[in-house]
Amino acid sequence: MGIFLSFFIYLISYLPVILARDVTRVTIFVDATKTVATNDEHFICATVDWWPHDKCNYNHCPWGNSSVINLDLSHPLLANAIQAFQSLRIRIGGSLQDQVLYDVGDLKAPCHPFRKMKDGLFGFSKGCLHMQRWDELNQLFNRTGALVSFGLNALHGRHNIRHNAWGGAWDSNNARDFLKYTISMGYQIDSWEYGNELSGRTSIGASVDAELYGKDLINLKNIINELYKNSSSKPTILAPGGFFDQEWYAKFLQVSGSNVVNGVTHHIYNLGPGVDPNLVSKILNPQRLSRVSETFGDLKQTIEKHGPWASAWVGESGGAYNSGGRHVSNTFVNSFWYLDQLGMSSKYNTKVYCRQTLVGGNYGLLNATTFIPNPDYYSALLWHRLMGKGVLSVATDGSSSLRSYAHCSKEREGITLLLINLSNQTDYVISVHNSMNMKLTVKGKDINGESSLSRDIKRAVSWVGSTASDGHLTREEYHLTPKDGYLQSQTMVLNGIPLQLAEDEGIPKLDPVRVDVNSPIYITHLSIAFIVFPNFSARACVV
């Protein structure tokens, strides 16, 4: 009853604003006869980085104790946040991973913590992962059901030969000893990734020749086959974890050959530097958001031509680089970029999307100090719970400011529609139709008059306070808005209720409101909604 009343008040509170704004009717057609792409069951992923507390950008140091080395693994909120996904995929890696030594086996180099060093890569020395810390990390992963992808050091044994180019042979001994220890302890690793942002012209800090890199992958594959033997839980290989360079990516796939690499990972920071004062306007610019589709398309074509045995992954994406945008990346407005990119990447057969970060920097899903979820955490959790693997085709007569994505619903019949309204002027009344001509919502009469729109809203909320009568079909709606209408609020509001931790520090329930399927869908300006249609006739989505 409480959530229904809250949503009723939420709708009524917006009524004067709606009547004063532009209201546009839009028709959306969903083709549920076939899927156009397929995601992995564990599509949502979050990263844990290596940056120490003194990693700073723009005179601000937002990392604190949030790295692989110093993260408080015993904090109850951290475990609760991971467990809410039941099986969250976590990628361990980042800029410093190619400077990490593993304190195990016959390590001939000293193993010290990262420290600032003027001539070091990214301004830091080599660092160390002690096996006691690795044990503690795996205890957390086992306790929370996390799926782990670990990024290995691809520069060990190499040296700088000119500018940012590194040459020489990869010394695989330390990595081999680390894998042997991991196997001996029974730790389950879903995938091993090789190197970070070393890909040719788009490399950051250091680069490795594509042919040399491809040969390294063959070596890594042989090591994994030797150590894991015929294990049923043999990890897959991810590579290269860099910014897409078509020529370099094609070359390393050709050199490494068939069935060596399983996931082709690339990184995206399409919003530019975190210090940009125009970051919010970039996030709300549909043309800006759509530009990255070219990268998704080019990578898809490259894999189909040169590595059809592999699948595309977004291995790291934080929107704005250099730790994200302060007072932007950790606020409600960032979910417009984040959810739009989840939807867009899905259409290009991206199997996994790893968000930078789970915790750390300005772009963490969790606050780096308190571990309280930021708005994007709830966006990720709703996607994970509602959007299934099957991606469906969507057609609309609406503006580019209204973004729409459809998937088969997760582990249930029907479909889920994601609607993102980037406009600060226009509210939408949406009619959703099946490509098989099954009408799902009422396309009402002209709404230019106040009385017509008012009648529509009253009809939409007339069910509040009671359950739908037998025989009436309903849909489930999750409307996301910022607290007090402030786009840079760190509090997300779901159906009129601010999302706050429970008294026991548990993640709050994310309950929908149930609406008569024949009522129109209302999407207010600068808001987001997941709409679940359990009774949508979807041949492609049979459970």
Side-chain angles (χ1 to χ4, degrees), residues 183-436:
I183 295 168
S184 72
M185 297 298 291
Y187 299 149
Q188 298 298 307
I189 303 298
D190 182 76
S191 47
W192 295 102
E193 188 172 28
Y194 183 65
N196 184 81
E197 296 176 358
L198 303 174
S199 48
R201 292 171 297 177
T202 60
S203 63
I204 305 294
S207 67
V208 174
D209 178 76
E211 184 168 354
L212 193 60
Y213 184 90
K215 292 177 179 177
D216 289 344
L217 289 170
I218 296 173
N219 184 13
L220 177 59
K221 182 73 170 183
N222 290 336
I223 292 172
I224 289 175
N225 286 340
E226 173 193 338
L227 296 181
Y228 283 89
K229 298 182 171 59
N230 296 319
S231 171
S232 59
S233 58
K234 184 183 296 184
T236 56
I237 291 180
L238 307 177
F243 293 97
F244 179 66
D245 177 323
Q246 196 278 332
E247 183 179 351
W248 196 96
Y249 270 60
K251 183 68 172 180
F252 101 79
L253 284 170
Q254 291 168 347
V255 172
S256 58
S258 179
N259 296 312
V260 171
V261 174
N262 306 99
V264 179
T265 50
H266 68 122
H267 295 180
I268 298 174
Y269 287 89
N270 61 312
L271 296 178
V275 73
D276 189 342
N278 298 313
L279 199 53
V280 170
S281 62
K282 284 183 177 181
I283 290 172
L284 297 176
N285 184 328
Q287 288 72 38
R288 176 78 189 212
L289 295 183
S290 294
R291 287 182 199 170
V292 74
S293 64
E294 184 176 343
T295 300
F296 291 129
D298 289 347
L299 177 61
K300 183 174 182 287
Q301 291 180 3
T302 300
I303 292 173
E304 289 171 349
K305 182 176 180 180
H306 301 288
W309 53 85
S311 57
W313 286 38
V314 173
E316 181 183 312
S317 182
Y321 57 79
N322 287 343
S323 303
R326 194 178 183 190
H327 307 310
V328 177
S329 297
N330 59 351
T331 70
F332 178 85
V333 73
N334 205 59
S335 279
F336 290 109
W337 160 78
Y338 181 38
L339 285 172
D340 186 68
Q341 198 157 107
L342 292 180
M344 188 185 305
S345 64
S346 294
K347 296 196 303 182
Y348 290 91
N349 230 27
T350 300
K351 300 303 181 185
V352 173
Y353 187 105
C354 294
R355 166 63 182 266
Q356 175 83 344
T357 59
L358 174 62
V359 56
N362 295 307
Y363 36 37
L365 296 179
L366 306 176
N367 181 284
T369 304
T370 66
F371 295 91
I372 293 174
N374 288 319
D376 280 358
Y377 172 85
Y378 295 111
S379 295
L381 187 56
L382 281 169
W383 178 290
H384 178 76
R385 290 179 177 179
L386 301 177
M387 305 288 269
K389 295 188 297 182
V391 185
L392 304 173
S393 176
V394 176
T396 176
D397 60 1
S399 158
S400 61
S401 291
L402 179 64
R403 322 287 275 190
S404 53
Y405 302 98
H407 284 227
C408 297
S409 292
K410 188 157 188 180
E411 298 176 354
R412 62 187 293 191
E413 300 287 347
I415 71 164
T416 299
L417 186 66
L418 169 62
L419 300 170
I420 303 170
N421 187 357
L422 300 173
S423 174
N424 64 355
Q425 292 293 327
T426 304
D427 301 329
Y428 291 99
V429 179
I430 299 170
S431 175
V432 180
H433 294 262
N434 196 316
S435 63
M436 299 166 62

